[in-house]
Amino acid sequence: MWKPDRQSNKPLYKQIADYLEQRISYGEFPPGSLLLSERKLAEQLGVNRSTIIQAFAELRSFGIIESRTGSGTRVSTTKWGATPKHTPNWKRYAEGGSFLPNPPFMRKIREALIDQPSRIDFASGELAADLAPMDEIASLMSTHHYTSYLGYDNPQGYVPLRETLVSYLKRYRSIQTSESSILITSGSQQSLYLITQCLLSPGDAVAIEDPSYCYSLPVFQSAGLRLFRLPVDQHGIRPDDIRTLYKKHRIKMVFLNPNYQNPTGTVLADERRKQLLEVASELALPIVEDDPFSLTAYEGNPPAPLKSLDTVGSILYIGSFSKIAASGLRVGWMVAPRSIVERLADARQQMDFGLSVIPQQVAGQFLKSSHFEPHLERLRIQLKFKRDLLINTLRKELHDSVIYDIPHGGLHLWCKLLPDVNDGKLLDEAIRRGVVFVPGSVYGSDSSFIRFTFARAKNDEIEPGISRFAEALRSLSNINSSL
């Protein structure tokens, strides 16, 4: 993010005025666009509000912006006296379209981290750099010369990677498949996008867990789907609830994350897995199984995927490289009947002509290398250490204010707060203190729940991060108790 140069001879307000004028001239802020308030812009650029007042005064003097009491500061629609007669209404376009934006809380978290990257991050669902196999991947890239033709690849994905995944899925997930039944994607979210756009129609009813990561994804609402919830208890969803929803709403598909579920960390009980597959077979109902966390099992015994028990072909299985190695490679996969793979591959080719070949080559080399198993072992040890550090700090800072079940795999800790606080105000207060988390309402729960992701923060950030969160919670609890 741009910041004014304090070593420059040019005054700060003049640098800011020139920067804003440049962005306006580039069309980033079309005529009529609302600019940030003086206070927010001062916070973003790290200057005094008086400096922004001077910069705005400079731009107003040239007729570039105009300010009205109660309406904020906007880019002038009559800049230098020249009325833009044919400027598109970009605001209307930005607010239109059928693809919905991320939930407001998620946008606020992202903006907070962009604005101040030093904030302690308990929100982002990815591995920190110290958990990723950076040295191993760098070594593979230096020793393997990726000299194959860099044209458009097979729309189903790089064939050698799909062949490697056949062995990987058999060895680590007990899934029997062939390369023709695998589609390479850019990750779990692209898999879900393709499924919702290509296999379902607007108005279709689908079932998701409650709470659920799926609830935070606008992709379902953008596709015009009707969402119905399957409550999750300490043993996962109850299969009989699926039968009830089917009878009442004729649901067309079920979306599940049965192993170390996001956000709760629960594992679907064995008996319920058998019942679930029986229900799916009885109703001829497809189940989308998202399985990103299984190999993080801290004790080294990952729960089996539903797909490994599937004898009638009810399960569309989604996996990803992101939660076990490197999210930046953007490599995921789906195991599905060939007709479904061909349909989705055709759709994906219309979107982007396929993924970059090089990340697929790197992922394939890593999965079959001698580095993979040692990396998994280190990952499990380090994640368990981070989990324990988080829990010990919560016990010290908030022992009587938060309850949770201890997860045995995954990246998240799902917590219920005992003080009655507004989750939006709590997030704002935490951001002010330099820490972010995800409110439970993002996943469909009430405001007494929150999700801490312990994989993204560095070890030495976890204690101060929870301490800051505790301060934010106590400050709001004290306010409420005094009312």
Side-chain angles (χ1 to χ4, degrees):
M1 177 178 291
W2 180 86
K3 299 280 187 181
D5 181 4
R6 296 182 179 274
Q7 307 303 317
S8 172
N9 292 327
K10 183 186 288 188
L12 293 179
Y13 84 89
K14 181 64 175 171
Q15 293 183 52
I16 294 169
D18 290 348
Y19 171 70
L20 291 174
E21 180 182 354
Q22 183 183 64
R23 294 184 70 185
I24 291 168
S25 70
Y26 287 167
E28 293 182 38
F29 296 106
S33 297
L34 181 66
L35 300 179
L36 287 177
S37 68
E38 294 167 352
R39 180 182 61 79
K40 288 187 176 180
L41 187 56
E43 290 177 0
Q44 187 178 93
L45 299 180
V47 299
N48 292 327
R49 184 178 176 186
S50 59
T51 303
I52 302 299
I53 292 173
Q54 286 182 282
F56 278 5
E58 174 96 351
L59 294 173
R60 272 195 298 271
S61 71
F62 290 114
I64 297 173
I65 64 173
E66 52 194 28
S67 302
R68 295 180 182 177
T69 303
S71 299
T73 299
R74 297 179 180 272
V75 177
S76 176
T77 56
T78 56
K79 186 173 64 174
W80 296 298
T83 303
K85 297 179 180 178
H86 303 291
T87 301
N89 185 343
W90 291 119
K91 183 175 186 293
R92 186 179 66 193
Y93 281 100
E95 293 175 351
S98 60
F99 199 81
L100 300 175
N102 274 312
F105 280 151
M106 300 307 290
R107 297 202 300 273
K108 178 179 289 189
I109 290 166
R110 182 179 61 215
E111 290 164 4
L113 292 171
I114 291 173
D115 177 52
Q116 190 176 319
S118 61
R119 286 189 169 103
I120 297 173
D121 185 358
F122 290 129
S124 300
E126 63 175 337
L127 303 179
D130 62 347
L131 298 179
M134 298 174 66
D135 292 340
E136 294 92 331
I137 288 177
S139 174
L140 288 172
M141 294 183 73
S142 67
T143 56
H144 291 81
H145 299 289
Y146 302 107
T147 56
S148 60
Y149 172 60
L150 296 179
Y152 294 133
D153 192 40
N154 188 309
Q156 225 178 292
Y158 185 56
V159 173
L161 173 58
R162 286 190 279 132
E163 292 172 343
T164 298
L165 282 169
V166 170
S167 300
Y168 162 84
L169 290 167
K170 180 179 180 180
R171 178 175 180 179
Y172 291 97
R173 306 308 296 127
S174 301
I175 293 174
Q176 302 280 353
T177 189
S178 66
E179 66 273 10
S180 61
S181 295
I182 296 175
L183 173 69
I184 305 301
T185 68
S186 65
S188 295
Q189 287 194 218
Q190 187 181 60
S191 296
L192 293 172
Y193 177 80
L194 289 169
I195 289 169
T196 56
Q197 290 292 322
C198 301
L199 306 185
L200 297 166
S201 301
D204 281 349
V206 300
I208 64 172
E209 294 157 313
D210 177 20
S212 173
Y213 171 67
C214 289
Y215 194 83
S216 72
L217 300 177
V219 63
F220 291 88
Q221 290 88 343
S222 296
L225 303 177
R226 293 180 294 137
L227 300 181
F228 295 95
R229 304 188 188 191
L230 297 167
V232 173
D233 61 24
Q234 67 269 32
H235 302 297
I237 61 110
R238 293 182 293 270
D240 281 345
D241 290 344
I242 295 176
R243 187 179 281 106
T244 300
L245 287 180
Y246 182 84
K247 290 178 179 178
K248 189 173 182 179
H249 302 289
R250 286 297 185 265
I251 56 173
K252 297 285 289 291
M253 194 172 283
V254 180
F255 292 81
L256 299 179
N257 173 199
N259 293 334
Y260 309 123
Q261 194 255 3
N262 183 5
T264 65
T266 57
V267 175
L268 184 62
D270 289 343
E271 186 59 34
R272 292 188 182 185
R273 289 169 188 260
K274 297 175 185 176
Q275 295 170 6
L276 173 63
L277 291 171
E278 289 171 0
V279 170
S281 176
E282 172 192 331
L283 302 177
L285 190 62
I287 295 175
V288 177
E289 178 184 15
D290 191 7
D291 187 29
F293 304 116
S294 288
L295 293 189
T296 65
Y298 307 145
E299 305 306 324
N301 296 308
L306 295 172
K307 184 65 177 173
S308 68
L309 307 173
D310 180 24
T311 58
V312 298
S314 299
I315 309 293
L316 300 181
Y317 180 82
I318 295 173
S320 172
F321 209 57
S322 297
K323 310 305 181 185
I324 59 171
S327 56
L329 284 178
R330 306 310 306 136
V331 173
W333 48 84
M334 186 191 311
V335 180
R338 287 189 63 178
S339 59
I340 297 300
V341 168
E342 290 168 1
R343 169 73 176 98
L344 300 186
D346 177 75
R348 216 271 306 286
Q349 188 178 37
Q350 296 178 52
M351 293 168 54
D352 57 16
F353 283 97
L355 304 175
S356 171
V357 174
I358 292 177
Q360 295 182 76
Q361 292 175 331
V362 173
Q365 290 291 342
F366 182 63
L367 285 175
K368 65 184 181 182
S369 74
S370 60
H371 300 301
F372 184 62
E373 286 201 21
H375 161 68
L376 279 182
E377 183 62 27
R378 287 195 303 272
L379 176 64
R380 291 162 176 160
I381 293 170
Q382 291 170 314
L383 282 174
K384 185 174 184 293
F385 178 83
K386 286 176 180 280
R387 180 205 66 179
D388 292 344
L389 184 56
L390 175 66
I391 289 173
N392 290 337
T393 309
L394 282 171
R395 286 171 177 163
K396 181 175 66 175
E397 295 281 352
L398 293 166
H399 67 279
D400 57 350
S401 300
V402 61
I403 55 176
Y404 45 81
D405 290 322
I406 298 176
H408 298 285
L411 317 182
H412 314 297
L413 183 67
W414 183 242
C415 300
K416 179 176 177 59
L417 302 176
L418 300 182
D420 183 18
V421 297
N422 178 282
D423 55 1
K425 292 181 179 179
L426 179 58
L427 179 60
D428 288 340
E429 198 65 33
I431 288 173
R432 278 194 287 273
R433 285 171 162 79
V435 62
V436 294
F437 63 91
V438 184
S441 57
V442 169
Y443 305 113
S445 288
D446 63 46
S447 61
S448 64
F449 288 90
I450 63 170
R451 191 195 78 176
F452 289 120
T453 299
F454 47 84
R456 188 67 181 85
K458 298 175 183 176
N459 290 345
D460 61 2
E461 291 179 330
I462 291 177
E463 290 192 42
I466 294 300
S467 178
R468 295 177 194 181
F469 173 83
E471 291 172 2
L473 180 61
R474 281 192 287 265
S475 70
L476 293 180
S477 301
N478 291 337
I479 291 172
N480 289 345
S481 63
S482 65
L483 295 178

